[in-house]
Amino acid sequence: MKTKSTFHAPCRTILGALLMLNIVMALASRISLSRSIHPILKRTPRSHCAPRYFRKSLPCPLWSSSFSFCLQALHKSTSLSHSHCLSPCYSSLSVTSMVSAAVDESLQANPLLQDFEFPPFDVVQAEHVRPGVRALLKKLGSDLEELEKTVEPSWPKLVEPLEKLVDRLSVVWGMINHLKAVKDTPELRAAIEEVQPEKVKFQLRLGQSKPIYNAFKAVKESPEWHTLSDARKRIVESQIKEAVLNGVALEDDKRDHFNKIEQELERLSQKFGENVLDATKKYEKLITDKKEIEGLPATALGLAAQTAVSNGHKDATAENGPWIITLGADFMYVMQRCSCKWSREEVYRAYITRASSGDLDNTQIIDEILRLRLEKAKLLGYRNYAEVSMATKMATVEKAEELLEKLRKASWDAAVQDMEDLKVFSKNQDAKEASDLSHWDINYWAERLRESKYDINEEELRPFFSLPKVMDGLFNLAKTLFGIKIESADGLAPVWNKDVKFYCVKDSSGSPTAYFYFDPYSRPSQKKGGAWMNEVVGRSQVLSRNGTAPRLPVAHMVCNQTPPVGDKPSLMTFREVETIFHEFGHALQHMLTKQDEGLVAGIRGIEWDAVELPSQFMENWCYHRETLMGIAKHFETGESLPEDVYQKLLAARTYRAGSLSLRQLKFANVDLELHSKYIPGGSVSIYDVDQRVSQRTQVIPPLPEDRFLCSFSHIFAGGYAAGYYSYKWAEVLSADAFSAFEDAGLDNSKAVVETGRRFRETILALGGGKAPLEVFVEFRGREPSPDALLRHNGLLPVTA
């Protein structure tokens, strides 16, 4: 078993089987959007790479006390010659060559339809979306008609043309949705909203194509079935299953109703996410009295002053203000560091009630989403939407509930003790609120107790974790474990913001094997919160540029950490370090795949509740002595993190593990309850469900006015509906996978290298071409056990 987190969700994003429709659809409705193509509008002698986008968005878990991480200057390469560009790329995504010569000049110049090596993130504008997407859909509609006329139950006549067709839409739609996630504008939103129904209509037509569905069934029933590789069998079986889940077997009236539901769900999910973003941006607390933010560190004050300057307070300074507090990176600062109880309360209440009132109220949207999902499930013959979700996952509803309850029991007593410890500590500090700690007090006193118990101050550690040094250490670890080299490739591909970095991944022979973008900093005015990894294009033999080597994968990683302040680099908290390691784990599974079948390469085709394995696995290395000490260098003096501080970080690893575990279990249980037992429109509200589940998963129940569900984007605007349990499911797998390195000996460099290579050749290389349980057994030599997870969290004795 395992947990999903970004494992995706280890980063969901991470889907199970991808049906033609789902392959494309997933991109549009996930929590993190992403992919695009960069137009080098004029062809160059360089071999083309059309980064294709197979939608897999990997949002991160709401594991921090503020959901701040996920709800979600290296050496320049001098050897990126044209022969190293994504040479095995899709021959061309040029719609210019697909449409007639009579096409209007403006359409020919549309960057979405140009021939390019990398997505034109820097030039795509809202005005390109409507004409570009419509021209593409028109061409793809013709291609689909032709495929249905000529389709045969063979790989060259069925799967190959299907993959090419899906890839074209994936790249273009992924590009514009990625820009919406990282560079949002009202104009871009409006354009996407207008063409989205047309895009969904095409997806539904593709996903419900009976000629294609019948061809896949014929492949499975043919005498040649037993000669197919495991990967090809997985593709055929998943396509058949996904076609059924997409309504291919429904009769005319029911199919029309099903399609209307899908259209409306797509619209509602989009609106939900926009409301969360707008509500988050809307809140700004102007502060002129420093007493209201007393206790905030210099980094936070500098960030708040920078926000004030950008809002017209030109003379704002970190020392004297004024300061503007937002619900972005500032939120956690206030919760953990601000000694002013009233400021904490105001910001906390604003955070938990986002998108729950006025024009941005998501309450009715949630109920309508749940109603439509239930209706969809019944049309397909299932009792509830949770059963639909589990049809393409490792777990069943019962098995997921069983795991969550085991972990809840193992975590409960430890969480109760966590709260008692806070009460005693705050009382000893003469805190007036000690006898009745409120929600806005918990994180504040938890940080004070942690500092007292382990003598660790997160803010004092920041200077030891500068972004450039952290990335150097992460890349060195990847070199040690997986035999790859990562070099800066800035300038090779267009980017959407000046802070975005571009990298080339090379194998041991020095040949490029993948590329990725990295967008590290928070931009609350235009970028959605959280952290995620997504595909730009995936590895594929069918989409080979030269007909021999497969197209190379391209990814992007997006975070929302504290940006540089003044002349200092971005100085990170330890949790921000863990977040980068997590997202990089998702990226590694996408980039280091050796699977050439495009529909199951990388994270594609992997059951959703297994996809978080690599991301959560990578987090463990943040506590590995050699890795951490290689990263933790003071940005000014070069001084290494003191040994005693490292030992304290290790000791603090299980601090409040019971409370943090229950937090995730609450999210997972609420998600399953809403999608398996809740009746929309009945006497019980979604908030009643939240309160009831919280009674057994939270030591202190939420406030009556808590509206957390209105910003729970993972399940209402992402891919985690009836799947949030996946974080915990995949966490079991990832902890057990890391225990293989512990068994081999973390101080035994030879054993670590050997185990790392085995991890790469199985977990990272096989993609969705094998069932995740089989892949795990191939790596570990046995089926997974939850013992390693409980041991890492200090909870094993509770269940012994």
Side-chain angles (χ1 to χ4, degrees), residues 463-660:
F464 288 94
F465 297 116
S466 67
L467 178 62
K469 199 65 184 176
V470 169
M471 298 306 288
D472 273 339
L474 177 58
F475 295 166
N476 285 334
L477 174 64
K479 182 178 182 179
T480 298
L481 295 179
F482 311 125
I484 58 175
K485 184 177 182 181
I486 300 171
E487 298 179 348
S488 172
D490 286 337
L492 181 63
V495 296
W496 52 91
N497 182 278
K498 62 181 177 60
D499 293 325
V500 176
K501 301 295 183 182
F502 191 65
Y503 295 97
C504 176
V505 181
K506 296 183 177 182
D507 60 22
S508 56
S509 69
S511 299
T513 189
Y515 296 85
F516 70 97
Y517 303 83
F518 178 45
D519 184 353
Y521 308 132
S522 172
R523 297 188 297 275
S525 65
Q526 59 176 205
K527 182 180 178 182
K528 75 175 187 178
W532 66 92
M533 166 270 164
N534 215 331
E535 296 186 17
V536 177
V537 299
R539 183 180 174 95
S540 171
Q541 185 63 53
V542 168
L543 297 174
S544 169
R545 168 63 177 168
N546 57 20
T548 54
R551 178 181 68 180
L552 299 183
V554 183
H556 56 60
M557 290 168 49
V558 182
C559 294
N560 269 281
Q561 66 192 54
T562 308
V565 176
D567 58 357
K568 295 180 180 179
S570 174
L571 301 178
M572 306 166 63
T573 65
F574 187 66
R575 284 178 177 173
E576 287 175 333
V577 174
E578 289 181 301
T579 298
I580 284 183
F581 273 62
H582 178 102
E583 299 308 331
F584 191 63
H586 282 303
L588 285 171
Q589 188 170 38
H590 172 63
M591 297 189 296
L592 299 189
T593 184
K594 292 188 176 179
Q595 177 58 255
D596 291 340
E597 295 290 348
L599 298 185
V600 289
I603 55 179
R604 292 183 225 145
I606 297 177
E607 281 73 356
W608 191 270
D609 43 10
V611 78
E612 292 293 332
L613 194 169
S615 55
Q616 291 173 332
F617 164 82
M618 286 299 294
E619 291 182 38
N620 289 283
W621 293 99
C622 294
Y623 295 91
H624 177 232
R625 187 184 187 286
E626 184 178 345
T627 299
L628 184 64
M629 298 304 276
I631 287 175
K633 306 289 185 182
H634 196 284
F635 80 101
E636 290 179 320
T637 67
E639 170 194 2
S640 295
L641 187 74
E643 177 65 26
D644 65 318
V645 176
Y646 166 66
Q647 294 299 332
K648 291 171 184 175
L649 277 175
L650 286 185
R653 183 178 186 181
T654 58
Y655 177 60
R656 293 179 58 78
S659 298
L660 294 175

Side-chain angles (χ1 to χ4, degrees), residues 695-712:
Q695 290 294 329
R696 60 187 182 84
T697 57
Q698 299 288 278
V699 176
I700 296 183
L703 298 175
E705 62 270 32
D706 189 302
R707 295 294 181 265
F708 152 72
L709 288 174
C710 287
S711 59
F712 198 178

